[in-house]
Amino acid sequence: MDEKNVSLTALDKMVNDERSQLAKAIIPYLPPQGQRLLSLYTKAAELANTAAVFSAPKNMEICAVPSREPLEILEDIRSYCFGKSRQKLDELTNLMTMVQMFRMIQEETKGEEEAYGPELEE
């Protein structure tokens, strides 16, 4: 997945609408002064919308996610990034998966030793 296919976060969906996304999509096609003005306008509108969302705490429940396992959280966050950030998340995910597998093997081995330990000593 490249940067063109990065998902919008729940907060982005709450503070942006189709009109602001369209305005952002138009920015590269404008002359430099137009790019500057429209960029500032869209970001100011986004900031105002964010302030409005946080001024009504009941709205924040929309983007509340129930607590999950760390690997699930990393996988969810992964869909919002690209490039080196995504590579680092993938490395962290792989490392955490290996640690989990190591722990499972240790627990399994420990359980077998406890279950068969006295028989093995004879």
Side-chain angles (χ1 to χ4, degrees), residues 104-120:
M104 286 174 37
I105 291 169
Q106 274 187 323
E107 289 173 8
E108 215 174 274
T109 305
K110 184 179 177 182
E112 287 176 3
E113 287 175 357
E114 290 174 359
Y116 301 113
E119 293 175 12
L120 293 175

Side-chain angles (χ1 to χ4, degrees), residues 29-43:
Y29 302 101
L30 297 174
Q33 185 63 19
Q35 289 180 356
R36 181 175 175 258
L37 289 173
L38 191 55
S39 295
L40 290 171
Y41 171 78
T42 58
K43 290 303 179 180

Side-chain angles (χ1 to χ4, degrees), residues 4 13 30 38 48 70 79 85 93 99 101:
K4 290 184 180 183
K13 291 175 186 175
L30 297 174
L38 191 55
S79 66
S85 297
T93 300
V99 168
M101 289 173 50

